[in-house]
Amino acid sequence: QVHLVESGGGLVQAGGSLRLSCAASGSFFSIIGMGWYRQAPGKQRELVAGAEYADSVKGRFTISRDNAKNTVYLQMNSLKPEDTAVYYCAAEALLEGGGSPVDYWGQGTQVTVSS
């Protein structure tokens, strides 16, 4: 099992910055990949950053990972009101004992950008 804990969300004015963190813990063999998704009210969950970036955040958001800490970060700059959403961390993990990769989700962290 993998437990993902996000932090760093909050309220920020347009043009500001936030840095989200997501730490993975639990019993697993390895974390294959980690990424960030978001879901705004009334909208579907969408990929923000992982192997690629959503077009809407390119040039403003940067994903990075500390493999030693099993932690992924999302640096968000030049935030816009339309970035307001619940941001979710996702991880694909290989569990101890083998088997196919398993996907896990964090509980989400709210990001609100005021105009």
Side-chain angles (χ1 to χ4, degrees):
Q1 293 291 332
V2 177
H3 186 50
L4 301 174
V5 178
E6 299 122 330
S7 61
L11 173 64
V12 64
Q13 287 188 333
S17 298
L18 283 175
R19 188 191 192 210
L20 305 183
S21 299
C22 172
S25 62
S27 297
F28 52 87
F29 179 74
S30 67
I31 300 291
I32 299 172
M34 300 182 79
W36 291 94
Y37 290 73
R38 68 185 180 187
Q39 187 167 18
K43 295 187 177 182
Q44 290 187 330
R45 190 172 298 188
E46 63 172 352
L47 173 68
V48 175
E52 57 187 16
Y53 293 92
D55 287 341
S56 59
V57 307
K58 285 180 180 177
R60 300 188 298 122
F61 290 11
T62 302
I63 187 171
S64 61
R65 182 175 167 182
D66 185 334
N67 291 325
K69 296 181 179 180
N70 288 315
T71 299
V72 65
Y73 306 94
L74 184 67
Q75 178 66 43
M76 305 185 292
N77 299 327
S78 302
L79 282 161
K80 304 175 181 179
E82 50 263 44
D83 294 318
T84 295
V86 177
Y87 283 71
Y88 296 91
C89 173
E92 184 180 29
L94 287 174
L95 302 182
E96 295 175 342
S100 300
V102 180
D103 294 334
Y104 293 89
W105 293 89
Q107 80 286 354
T109 184
Q110 177 70 45
V111 171
T112 303
V113 184
S114 63
S115 57

